[in-house]
Amino acid sequence: MDELRQRLARDLDGAFPDLVAHLQGRLYSGLRRLHGDAAEDLAQETFIRAYRALRGYDPDRIRRLRLDGWIWTIALNLGRNHARDRARRPTPVPLDDRHGVSDPEPADLAAWDRRLAALPSPQRTAVVLRHVAGLSYPQIAEVTGRPEGTVKADVHRGLARLRRILQEET
Amino acid sequence: MSIERQLEALCEPAPPTVAAGALLGVGLADGYRIFDSPVGEVVVAFNAAGVSAVDLADDDVEERFRDRFGRPLVPARAPRGWEERIGRAIERGTPGDLPVDLRSVTPFQRTVLQVTATIPKGEVRPYGWLARAVGSPRAVRAVGTALARNPVPLIIPCHRVVRTDGRLGAYSLGGSHRKRRLLAHEGADPDRLERFAARGVRYVGSDTTGVFCLPTCRHARRIEDRHRIEFGTDEEAVAAGFRPCRTCRPA
């Protein structure tokens, strides 16, 4: 990660594809759990915004960036806008993938989406950022703009609730 | 398995469209679509600056693009209105109103390619003619290199440039048999061109007008057999009292 930051500071265009390759799995997976089918578009747009932001940063600022947390600041912001727009004008749920390739969610993933959907939004976000996206508590605190103690409590309560849901299923 | 572990297992690889769309969106990748052409299916690559490459649609095309241009090539939808323009440019063998990205070649090569784009469909010009047309009559070899580097064959019609002795010569888009097929498709009659070349004929004149042309010039093709005079060199034609055609500018 440190080497990637150095290269981004030196040669943004050369290193940016590596940044995408490095972060896309966790970013997409987290967005998928938080925003379902919109994850693909949101992940793409997150990287495009990230690139434009990096264009305007001086090299020292890029060298100091915690990339995995920083990318989530952008992603959560876009996710919030997306959720707000969708609430304003509800769109019909597409029956299949936009690209015509049907890609059904494995049963296990669908079950987890249902369980996560039962959590209050701050808990869901905190749990996904911690355990799917792999961010640290201080990073989650920074990204969500909430105190670290609150974030920890959200994760613990969220996990406890998920455990209860799992028990009820069996 | 702990619940934390189960959540971590939800991490899946991103679909390839994520990276493709992101790099395309910031201009670090080019998009492409497949089009029909007289030489079969071709890949047409594009970015914000214009059409950046035309290449044969085979399994290695993405790798060749990356090797040459240093950017990834990803399947994408062309900008609005471009699909029709690309199809038209391939059919006519000239860019017309289609923007072409020639940043990958030198300024000299760009000039050569821009002049090449003005050669009419169904006609051919020798390398030497092109060298003169760009103002560097001695740079015939560099002109050949420029054509070999043409990133957008078919759209910039490098197939309409032939060897100075009249033979068809090499073609970058998959070899000289494709050049022959393209010229035949455009009505340039490659067999006739090679017969002229074999007899050492490089110019034809009309004894009714006193004008001499390159053999594929539209004026030359109207000359009836009984009025056609053949020349091996432009000096010969001038010595016989002929003047060069103002359309094909043979000398």
Side-chain angles (χ1 to χ4, degrees):
Chain A
M1 206 62 137
D2 197 45
E3 188 249 339
L4 179 57
R5 279 187 298 195
Q6 295 294 340
R7 284 199 294 125
L8 283 169
R10 255 195 336 264
D11 172 18
L12 176 58
D13 286 359
F16 188 76
D18 294 333
L19 174 138
V20 173
H22 195 79
L23 298 177
Q24 62 174 348
R26 284 174 178 278
L27 179 68
Y28 170 77
S29 300
L31 284 169
R32 178 94 193 163
R33 304 282 76 80
L34 294 174
H35 295 287
D37 285 343
E40 201 176 310
D41 284 348
L42 286 172
Q44 252 180 35
E45 188 59 27
T46 299
F47 284 123
I48 292 171
R49 302 269 175 119
Y51 177 84
R52 290 186 191 142
L54 289 169
R55 283 258 93 158
Y57 291 178
D58 62 64
D60 276 341
R61 183 161 177 196
I62 296 178
R63 280 193 197 96
R64 285 197 309 270
L65 271 184
R66 290 294 310 264
L67 292 171
D68 44 359
W70 175 73
I71 204 87
W72 272 104
T73 314
I74 301 169
L76 287 185
N77 200 12
L78 285 172
R80 262 192 304 274
N81 295 345
H82 165 76
R84 198 190 49 217
D85 290 351
R86 216 166 56 162
R88 247 184 231 157
R89 40 182 172 75
T91 45
V93 179
L95 291 179
D96 64 351
D97 192 294
R98 279 171 298 119
H99 304 283
V101 194
S102 98
D103 186 15
E105 192 95 306
D108 192 43
L109 284 178
W112 274 105
D113 283 343
R114 215 170 42 243
R115 292 170 198 136
L116 284 165
L119 303 186
S121 168
Q123 288 182 18
R124 183 169 61 245
T125 304
V127 165
V128 167
L129 289 182
R130 178 75 195 95
H131 291 293
V132 181
L135 298 191
S136 67
Y137 286 119
Q139 280 180 313
I140 302 173
E142 199 182 318
V143 165
T144 58
R146 294 156 68 84
E148 200 177 319
T150 313
V151 167
K152 271 186 186 163
D154 278 341
V155 172
H156 290 305
R157 287 199 198 102
L159 290 180
R161 184 135 178 190
L162 288 173
R163 272 190 210 100
R164 273 203 307 281
I165 294 172
L166 275 172
Q167 269 165 5
E168 281 161 18
E169 284 175 10
T170 51
Chain B
M1 191 161 58
S2 77
I3 196 155
E4 289 90 343
R5 273 289 150 73
Q6 292 188 52
L7 285 167
E8 274 156 32
L10 296 180
C11 207
E12 53 189 314
T17 45
V18 169
L23 296 180
L24 195 64
V26 302
L28 294 181
D30 287 24
Y32 76 84
R33 273 192 88 81
I34 292 177
F35 288 81
D36 275 328
S37 85
V39 291
E41 286 193 331
V42 290
V43 154
V44 178
F46 43 81
N47 58 48
V51 167
S52 53
V54 175
D55 199 353
L56 298 175
D58 60 29
D59 291 344
D60 303 324
V61 64
E62 292 181 18
E63 198 184 325
R64 278 199 305 275
F65 185 90
R66 187 189 275 273
D67 285 349
R68 172 160 182 197
F69 298 96
R71 302 187 294 269
L73 181 65
V74 297
R77 210 172 306 152
R80 182 188 291 270
W82 279 31
E83 296 217 356
E84 298 73 32
R85 286 203 246 173
I86 290 170
R88 216 162 39 225
I90 291 174
E91 174 50 35
R92 294 181 184 166
T94 192
D97 57 358
L98 182 70
V100 174
D101 177 9
L102 291 178
R103 289 174 298 176
S104 62
V105 300
T106 66
F108 173 78
Q109 293 172 342
R110 204 168 304 150
T111 308
V112 169
L113 295 174
Q114 281 158 352
V115 173
T116 303
T118 65
I119 303 173
K121 189 172 181 173
E123 301 188 20
V124 298
R125 300 286 182 267
Y127 291 105
W129 176 92
L130 194 49
R132 253 191 305 115
V134 299
S136 311
R138 290 150 69 88
V140 178
R141 187 179 289 268
V143 162
T145 306
L147 295 171
R149 298 270 308 156
N150 179 12
V152 287
L154 301 178
I155 290 178
I156 288 182
C158 55
H159 59 276
R160 293 179 195 149
V161 185
V162 297
R163 284 172 38 161
T164 303
D165 66 10
R167 280 194 265 268
L168 298 188
Y171 186 44
S172 59
L173 193 69
S176 56
H177 66 286
R178 286 209 171 78
K179 189 171 191 171
R180 168 179 291 277
R181 207 196 305 169
L182 268 171
L183 290 174
H185 173 82
E186 296 186 352
D189 197 350
D191 295 333
R192 178 169 173 268
L193 290 177
E194 282 179 335
R195 280 198 302 276
F196 277 132
R199 295 210 319 275
V201 177
R202 287 170 50 195
Y203 307 98
V204 297
S206 159
D207 62 9
T208 55
T209 60
V211 172
F212 73 102
C213 297
L214 290 164
T216 58
C217 174
R218 59 191 159 93
H219 297 305
R221 292 202 286 185
R222 283 207 310 258
I223 304 171
E224 288 171 52
D225 285 350
R226 63 197 164 97
H227 291 299
R228 188 187 306 112
I229 316 287
E230 300 176 341
F231 302 105
T233 64
D234 53 331
E235 289 95 342
E236 226 177 89
V238 172
F242 285 73
R243 69 155 179 87
C245 166
R246 292 197 184 95
T247 302
C248 67
R249 299 188 309 274

